[in-house]
Amino acid sequence: MSIWNKRRKEKRQNIPHIKMKNNQHRELNGKLEDTIYFIKEILGSNDDFVIRRFSIYGAHSAAICYFSNLVEQQTINYEVLKPLMKMPEYIDKDKLKNDRILKVLAEEVLYHGEIKEESNLGKLIDAVLAGETILVIDGVTNAFHLDTYYVEKRAIAPPETEQVIIGPREGFIERLGTNLGLLRYRLPTADFRVKTLKVGRLTKSKVAICYLDGIADQALVDEVESRLKKIDIDAVLDVGYLEQYIEDNHYTPFTQTLLTERPDSTVGNLIEGRVAILVDGSPFTMLVPAVFNQFYQATEDYSTRFIMGSFTRFIRMFALVFSLVFPALYVSFISFNPELLPTEFAVAVAGGRAGVPYSAVIEVLILEGSMEILREATVRLPKQIGNALSIVGVLIIGQAAVQAGLSSPITVVVIAITTIGSFATPVYNASFALRALRFPLAILAGIFGLYGVMVGLIVILNHMLSLKSFGVPYLSPTSPWNAQGMKDSVIRFPFWKMSFRPVMFHSTNKIRENTSKSSRTTQRQPLSSQPNKDKRDD
């Protein structure tokens, strides 16, 4: 027998018999020392794990167990230990028998809002790991676990990835309870539902499924819950982990879920019939189903008048398409179809590229790659250094490349305008698809010219037509066509023109506005024509 196998055998023999059994189904036997021994074997090697022994009114030996870094010590001192060690005058000692003591403590003694009774040792261990405090009493086969969880959290601040000029400034934080509170604050209705489950064998991350009962399709809610329950992974540290498991198509650059850190945006999507998924420890909410037209829409569109909202939304849509095809069109015009350019402009471009030693497609690919490297470096650096780097990269490096003959001035302008256009996309993870697809489109343009650009765009469009997000076509409501859905597409219609929820989500309650009682339909007289009630007769 090898030394390694011998050590493993000795290690297995040294494990106490109590750990070799299935801990998930082990029950309390009423002996305090056995329970403490079991808990120590599982958790006792941690320096921040506390087992506090004491006596309940001098008659019952007891102990509380908790992790000191996961609880609020003041709550334990004043809401648990103090009432248990100092007997109130109204308590009759005859009531404190083993068969009734838990009921008396829960109803008359403990000053705590959330008390649960449990006899399973495995579940008690899970409660301690989740930041709760367990109370074990000698001679009692059940134990209490009290919610004393407390971890320092950052303050609610404006979201970093979704800036707006007009609209709320609150953003989600890492605490799931705080995020759910922000949603309930904006949805004070009994129809708001929250289902929780734990995902991750090691992290046991708490995942919340939020929806509006009577609006969200129940089949959609069941499908989301089913996909989440099928996930079997060691750790879930962010909502992005779940996205990679529950999306319909894994081999596409287009995201099929919408990530947001804005409570108002989440509530707006819930009202339309979507389902929100939140993870404890993540400041982002995942919204499903997601369609393509969401990725050029912003919360600010609904906070402003519909004319202004429609104009800015159209600008974003134009910038999105422009940033995708502009480099490829430039390459095709320079390499294959210079006759499509005005004569003066074509001469100027040819003069600017006179000293460049490689073709236009190679030049565009080099500058695009350099811009992506610069963008990634700017994101990873601290904010103060990142701002300085972006200015240096745009001004100095671009000018130096032109003077060194590595690039032409017009190519630098094209790449700069393309990059600025990609920044107009409100959803960060949606802009990745545009950034990734610019490279193959430019290569096709360098090989086949305009024909290659058109073939590439047709392939991209055909791929988008084949995508679905939880059964909803990705290009809805454009394909399949829905006139009601198009009222909140590229152009945003007034609210009183959008009386129905999007058909693609199959909402139970399809009516969003009661037009018969709408204030818009009420005819009002101008102020100048209203009688002056304050006028008095002479």
Side-chain angles (χ1 to χ4, degrees):
M1 182 183 294
S2 65
I3 297 177
W4 175 252
N5 291 333
K6 184 177 180 181
R7 288 180 178 176
R8 287 201 302 178
K9 183 177 181 180
E10 291 176 354
K11 186 176 180 180
R12 287 197 302 266
Q13 292 175 348
N14 291 331
I15 296 177
H17 180 67
I18 194 170
K19 289 186 66 176
M20 297 298 293
K21 292 186 177 182
N22 190 349
N23 299 332
Q24 297 298 325
H25 302 286
R26 192 174 182 85
E27 302 291 327
L28 291 174
N29 59 7
K31 296 180 181 180
L32 179 62
E33 295 302 324
D34 288 352
T35 303
I36 292 178
Y37 175 74
F38 172 84
I39 294 174
K40 280 185 175 180
E41 286 295 318
I42 303 298
L43 303 174
S45 60
N46 296 286
D47 293 336
D48 60 341
F49 179 63
V50 177
I51 298 179
R52 171 69 160 85
R53 295 173 181 264
F54 64 99
S55 177
I56 299 179
Y57 310 141
H60 298 272
S61 298
I64 57 173
C65 307
Y66 58 90
F67 280 99
S68 59
N69 295 323
L70 290 178
V71 300
E72 189 173 19
Q73 192 63 49
Q74 187 174 1
T75 301
I76 294 177
N77 293 341
Y78 290 96
E79 297 182 9
V80 180
L81 287 177
K82 185 177 180 179
L84 289 177
M85 299 177 70
K86 184 179 180 181
M87 184 175 180
E89 296 180 357
Y90 56 84
I91 295 295
D92 187 359
K93 284 188 177 182
D94 296 335
K95 295 182 179 180
L96 299 176
K97 295 181 180 179
N98 292 345
D99 57 342
R100 298 188 59 192
I101 186 171
L102 291 181
K103 183 178 180 181
V104 173
L105 294 180
E107 296 180 356
E108 302 183 35
V109 176
L110 290 174
Y111 304 146
H112 200 77
E114 188 173 349
I115 302 175
K116 296 179 182 178
E117 194 172 326
E118 184 59 59
S119 62
N120 184 278
L121 282 167
K123 292 182 178 179
L124 290 174
I125 292 295
D126 290 340
V128 174
L129 293 171
E132 299 185 18
T133 299
I134 62 173
L135 169 63
V136 184
I137 304 173
D138 191 27
V140 181
T141 55
N142 285 354
F144 280 148
H145 57 100
L146 305 93
D147 186 10
T148 55
Y149 178 75
Y150 179 79
V151 174
E152 292 291 339
K153 61 180 183 295
R154 66 182 176 95
I156 297 174
E160 295 290 337
T161 59
E162 298 174 82
Q163 299 288 341
V164 296
I165 299 176
I166 301 176
R169 295 292 191 269
E170 293 176 335
F172 288 126
I173 63 173
E174 285 71 20
R175 281 288 302 272
L176 177 62
T178 304
N179 295 341
L180 292 177
L182 290 173
L183 294 180
R184 286 203 177 274
Y185 160 70
R186 286 174 169 79
L187 281 174
T189 172
D191 296 330
F192 182 55
R193 297 285 187 267
V194 177
K195 290 185 178 181
T196 58
L197 60 150
K198 292 184 179 180
V199 182
R201 293 191 298 268
L202 297 179
T203 59
K204 294 182 176 63
S205 302
K206 193 174 183 180
V207 179
I209 304 172
C210 304
Y211 64 98
L212 284 175
D213 189 25
I215 294 180
D217 184 15
Q218 190 59 42
L220 172 62
V221 177
D222 295 339
E223 178 65 20
V224 172
E225 187 176 3
S226 174
R227 294 190 187 187
L228 290 175
K229 287 183 177 179
K230 291 179 182 178
I231 299 176
D232 187 13
I233 188 175
D234 286 341
V236 175
L237 305 179
D238 186 75
V239 72
Y241 285 58
L242 303 180
E243 178 187 9
Q244 300 174 59
Y245 279 92
I246 68 175
E247 61 184 358
D248 290 55
N249 191 331
H250 304 289
Y251 305 101
T252 175
F254 296 97
T255 177
Q256 298 146 71
T257 63
L258 177 63
L259 298 181
T260 178
E261 53 178 336
R262 297 188 61 87
D264 55 328
S265 177
T266 303
V267 170
N269 283 276
L270 290 175
I271 293 174
E272 285 191 343
R274 292 183 177 87
V275 176
I277 303 172
L278 295 85
V279 176
D280 195 11
S282 174
F284 285 89
T285 297
M286 181 166 58
L287 299 166
V288 293
V291 292
F292 180 73
N293 66 1
Q294 289 180 270
F295 302 129
Y296 56 82
Q297 299 175 0
T299 309
E300 197 173 7
D301 298 345
Y302 302 94
S303 300
T304 57
R305 298 174 64 246
F306 72 95
I307 297 177
M308 184 184 302
S310 300
F311 176 74
T312 55
R313 184 179 291 184
F314 179 80
I315 292 297
R316 287 191 220 105
M317 182 62 181
F318 176 77
L320 183 149
V321 177
F322 182 80
S323 63
L324 175 64
V325 302
F326 192 39
L329 290 177
Y330 168 74
V331 171
S332 62
F333 287 156
I334 296 302
S335 302
F336 290 88
N337 305 101
E339 69 277 3
L340 296 178
L341 299 175
T343 305
E344 295 81 0
F345 183 69
V347 172
V349 170
R353 298 198 69 256
V356 179
Y358 31 73
S359 62
V361 61
I362 300 299
E363 183 184 7
V364 167
L365 292 177
I366 291 175
L367 286 182
E368 279 283 4
S370 303
M371 188 61 69
E372 292 299 325
I373 294 174
L374 181 62
R375 187 203 302 255
E376 189 67 17
T378 305
V379 171
R380 303 305 166 193
L381 285 174
K383 183 178 295 185
Q384 294 80 2
I385 304 177
N387 294 336
L389 178 62
S390 62
I391 297 174
V392 171
V394 172
L395 297 180
I396 300 179
I397 298 179
Q399 183 66 25
V402 172
Q403 292 180 353
L406 299 177
S407 175
S408 63
I410 184 61
T411 307
V412 174
V413 172
V414 168
I415 300 302
I417 295 176
T418 302
T419 305
I420 294 173
S422 65
F423 288 149
T425 308
V427 183
Y428 174 76
N429 57 344
S431 64
F432 172 78
L434 305 179
R435 294 161 53 187
L437 292 174
R438 282 203 296 263
F439 290 92
L441 274 181
I443 293 174
L444 288 174
I447 299 175
F448 303 106
L450 282 176
Y451 177 76
V453 176
M454 295 306 299
V455 170
L457 291 177
I458 292 173
V459 171
I460 293 172
L461 182 61
N462 185 61
H463 173 68
M464 294 175 68
L465 287 170
S466 67
L467 292 178
K468 288 187 177 182
S469 176
F470 284 82
V472 177
Y474 197 59
L475 291 183
S476 299
T478 306
S479 178
W481 175 265
N482 179 260
Q484 184 67 30
M486 290 300 295
K487 293 181 179 181
D488 191 17
S489 172
V490 179
I491 303 299
R492 182 182 80 81
F493 277 51
F495 284 124
W496 56 88
K497 293 292 185 181
M498 299 186 295
S499 303
F500 298 93
R501 291 186 175 85
V503 179
M504 52 193 171
F505 301 136
H506 306 287
S507 300
T508 308
N509 182 5
K510 295 180 172 56
I511 300 176
R512 177 157 42 190
E513 179 188 8
N514 190 352
T515 55
S516 62
K517 297 182 180 180
S518 175
S519 61
R520 178 67 186 176
T521 60
T522 304
Q523 297 295 329
R524 296 177 179 174
Q525 295 180 351
L527 291 177
S528 58
S529 63
Q530 292 182 0
N532 188 356
K533 295 182 180 181
D534 295 334
K535 186 176 181 180
R536 300 178 181 177
D537 297 335
D538 294 338

